[in-house]
Amino acid sequence: KRPTHRPAGSNARWGVLARAAACARAAADHGGKDAFVRYSGSAPSSTPPKNFLEAGQIDGGFFQGTAMLAGAIAASALVPFEAQLTMLTKTVEAFRYAGLSRDAISDDVLLTDYLRKNALAAQNVLIASPTFYFLFSWITGQSVAVCCARAITGTMRIVPFMGFFYGAFAILAPFATQYYMKQGGTTYEESASTANMALMLGGFVFIEAIVELRGCGVLFTQMTISSFLVFVPALIGRLAAGVLTQQAKVGTESVPVVPEEWEHSEETWKREAFKTAKALCIDVDFFTTAAGTGVFQHVLNAVTFVLLTRGNKTTIFDIGKFLLLGVNNTLASGAVQAVRTLVMRTFFGLAWNMASSQPWETPVFNAAVKGH
């Protein structure tokens, strides 16, 4: 057999060509449709879970959150109205005993702007959260059944953290507002806005980070310092456009983004557009919450997905790679991932904005306000 002669220094090139040909044959063997699915990022790159319980993230956190939420609902239904009113009145007295001045914040304002508003804000987040966790699972390639399961398990898993988040906010925000009123001589509205931002940046952002990561199924043992260095700044940007916007919106009427005169316009399409915007609460706050948080959410999704797949081995390089190349390490996958994130924020923003725009009945708080 005659020996094959290759030019000197060509072995490396032949090796590269051989590997490329092997990859091409493998792609052809799997078929065009499957190749496109992998290429565009429609399927997750992580190892499949062993069973549906594992895929749906039905774990101890889910059962703990479910028990807490069930207990809260049962308490609100079974505890007599007068007993609830008495507890609320005692709570106001506790604020006064702790040093909150009526000259700075009256009883009515304390009940309405802090206790009631944060209780409803927590409720509204839980109402909208299934949309968030369903869509996060969907954009990372999970089946519809798994997406539905994670929508529920993710929401239940954040119950204790949301309770602590909004409960602590309701307690600390009045004192922070009073502090800024006395120190800066500013109005109540200006001081309340400054206090909210200071509290959010002063520690609550880390609680929110844990809320989101745990809701998506990330374990505490999977979280790393490097991931928080990316996650927290992005979360701050999203919080400014999301949580603070929706927290301030609680109980206010939604004003459609389309002109008011369209409601009685002679043109049918304008009347229908106004009716749709009114029904779906499509207002300025909706666009602030949805579009304004899209970029930040893309970064947050990258950190979350990489932590889920690589755990505590995650590096900043891994996160940057996901932002550019998506779940399947291609530019097409990265582009698809960005578009899906925008869709995710749009639908979640719609659900959250609608919940915040509802005129929820709070008879205990109403009675407490009248009593003061």
Side-chain angles (χ1 to χ4, degrees), residues 29 62 93 153 160-161 164 177 229 282 301 317 333 355 363:
D29 291 342
F62 161 70
E93 293 175 359
T153 58
F161 302 102
F164 178 80
T177 300
L229 292 177
I282 300 178
N301 285 353
F317 173 79
S333 177

Side-chain angles (χ1 to χ4, degrees), residues 54-66:
E54 186 177 318
Q57 299 175 343
I58 303 173
D59 54 13
F62 161 70
F63 291 110
Q64 292 167 9
T66 302

Side-chain angles (χ1 to χ4, degrees), residues 33-268:
K33 181 178 179 181
D34 290 343
F36 175 77
V37 167
R38 292 192 304 278
Y39 184 71
S40 64
S42 296
S45 59
S46 57
T47 303
K50 297 177 181 178
N51 51 56
F52 185 77
L53 291 179
E54 186 177 318
Q57 299 175 343
I58 303 173
D59 54 13
F62 161 70
F63 291 110
Q64 292 167 9
T66 302
M68 290 185 65
L69 182 60
I73 295 174
S76 64
L78 300 177
V79 174
F81 180 87
E82 292 299 328
Q84 294 184 39
L85 183 58
T86 300
M87 287 188 287
L88 195 54
T89 302
K90 294 293 184 183
T91 301
V92 173
E93 293 175 359
F95 274 94
R96 303 308 175 193
Y97 181 78
L100 186 66
S101 171
R102 283 188 171 85
D103 294 333
I105 298 177
S106 67
D107 290 349
D108 290 359
V109 172
L110 175 61
L111 286 163
T112 303
D113 286 2
Y114 296 96
L115 302 182
R116 178 182 180 274
K117 179 168 287 189
N118 279 284
L120 289 178
Q123 169 191 281
N124 295 337
V125 167
L126 292 178
I127 290 174
S129 286
T131 303
F132 179 92
Y133 294 116
F134 179 94
L135 291 172
F136 175 79
S137 299
W138 172 72
I139 68 174
T140 53
Q142 302 299 326
S143 67
V144 174
V146 170
C147 290
C148 291
R150 291 187 181 182
I152 299 172
T153 58
T155 300
M156 293 300 102
R157 200 157 36 240
I158 68 171
V159 168
F161 302 102
M162 284 286 91
F164 178 80
F165 182 95
Y166 284 103
F169 210 99
I171 294 172
L172 297 177
F175 293 101
T177 300
Q178 177 178 259
Y179 170 81
Y180 285 109
M181 290 176 70
K182 291 182 177 179
Q183 294 297 318
T186 55
T187 64
Y188 167 75
E189 288 75 15
E190 293 172 331
S191 298
S193 177
T194 303
N196 288 346
M197 185 61 70
L199 287 173
M200 197 66 74
L201 300 181
F204 280 80
V205 64
F206 294 99
I207 302 174
E208 177 68 15
I210 293 174
V211 167
E212 181 151 333
L213 291 173
R214 285 295 295 126
C216 290
V218 178
L219 303 174
F220 286 108
T221 55
Q222 293 177 305
M223 301 177 190
T224 64
I225 295 177
S226 61
S227 64
F228 273 88
L229 292 177
V230 178
F231 197 89
V232 171
L235 186 58
I236 290 173
R238 199 195 69 184
L239 285 173
V243 170
L244 294 179
T245 298
Q246 293 301 322
Q247 191 179 40
K249 184 183 178 65
V250 169
T252 61
E253 184 179 358
S254 176
V255 179
V257 71
V258 298
E260 186 178 355
E261 56 267 22
W262 283 19
E263 182 178 11
H264 304 292
S265 174
E266 294 182 357
E267 299 182 59
T268 303

Side-chain angles (χ1 to χ4, degrees), residues 234 237-242 284-297 342 345-346:
R238 199 195 69 184
L239 285 173
V284 173
D285 290 330
F286 160 70
F287 287 102
T288 301
T289 302
T293 59
V295 174
F296 299 114
Q297 187 64 53
L342 182 59
R345 290 308 301 180
T346 299

